[in-house]
Amino acid sequence: MQEQYRTVARAGVHEAEISRSRFLCALAPAATEREAQDFVARVRKEHPTASHHCFAYVIGADASVQKASDDGEPGGTAGVPMLQMLMRREVRYTVAVVTRYYGGVKLGAGGLIRAYGGVVGEALDAVGTITRQRFRLVTVTVDHQRAGKLENDLRATGRAVREVRYAEAVTIEVGLPEADVEPFRAWLADTTAGTAGFATGGEAYGDA
């Protein structure tokens, strides 16, 4: 698994006018290919009279799914430069749709490539990106008496507390960089005088 990846901070739209054509780039995070396709369909619905809805998306921290569509523009002049911009910026789990309203001036192949790739780059700058880090999930089990202080200590030391569940005992799920697992185990034993349970789980990505 990748140690980290970058994705868009939120959904957003950036608009540019190039040779009288309007280019609207809609960006959104997408956890799955289905989510990306649903977003493309939604943008199409919002702009039924547009000339083209070109799209590109990258799914997977390792960019295992990459798709692009020119939607009627000359082959390779729209979707591919959009995808290349996402890849160049190392953006993952992201879908970009560029809606074009034709303004009557032909841009030529080079002009289209610059326009479609460029508007995606501008949209990424406008919307912003965040880095997500791979974490090992660990579960800490502690009695109710110690739980409140332990949770406060975890948050105070910058650890990623993902979930807290109260039952007979309290379980706290924490996300840790792999290198921190053993030092954390030692810290936990010291902090709770050896009374806390500790178990490692799977992996997940969280905000770096």
Side-chain angles (χ1 to χ4, degrees):
M1 284 176 83
Q2 297 280 111
E3 282 303 312
Q4 59 182 38
Y5 68 86
R6 193 175 293 140
T7 190
V8 286
R10 58 183 174 82
V13 180
H14 172 75
E15 182 173 342
E17 186 174 316
I18 302 165
S19 299
R20 298 216 299 267
S21 279
R22 281 177 70 211
F23 290 84
L24 288 88
C25 179
L27 289 173
T32 63
E33 191 167 6
R34 184 59 193 267
E35 272 186 35
Q37 291 167 348
D38 288 348
F39 181 74
V40 174
R42 201 154 64 243
V43 173
R44 281 184 189 280
K45 213 171 186 178
E46 286 171 12
H47 300 277
T49 61
S51 316
H52 306 277
H53 298 285
C54 306
F55 68 81
Y57 55 79
V58 182
I59 308 296
D62 56 355
S64 54
V65 177
Q66 302 176 30
K67 292 280 172 65
S69 166
D70 296 315
D71 193 39
E73 293 281 30
T77 63
V80 169
M82 291 170 63
L83 181 61
Q84 287 173 338
M85 182 59 72
L86 293 176
M87 292 299 292
R88 192 179 309 146
R89 295 291 193 91
E90 299 178 347
V91 175
R92 308 288 184 260
Y93 291 108
T94 298
V95 54
V97 184
V98 176
T99 297
R100 182 187 182 192
Y101 287 91
Y102 182 56
V105 178
K106 290 191 173 181
L107 297 178
L112 288 171
I113 289 168
R114 283 191 297 277
Y116 278 99
V119 75
V120 172
E122 290 171 12
L124 287 169
D125 289 338
V127 170
T129 59
I130 54 173
T131 299
R132 295 179 68 75
Q133 177 77 36
R134 181 163 67 97
F135 289 111
R136 170 68 61 186
L137 300 178
V138 303
T139 303
V140 174
T141 309
V142 69
D143 60 40
H144 285 263
Q145 197 177 339
R146 295 180 190 266
K149 181 178 185 311
L150 180 60
E151 187 183 344
N152 287 340
D153 287 347
L154 288 168
R155 294 186 190 280
T157 52
R159 268 116 182 179
V161 176
R162 296 171 65 90
E163 192 178 358
V164 181
R165 293 185 296 276
Y166 290 88
E168 282 183 32
V170 181
T171 54
I172 304 172
E173 189 179 75
V174 183
L176 298 170
E178 195 71 49
D180 287 358
V181 172
E182 287 310 314
F184 176 79
R185 190 199 296 261
W187 174 88
L188 181 69
D190 190 46
T191 301
T192 64
T195 60
F198 176 90
T200 56
E203 295 177 333
Y205 285 94
D207 294 343

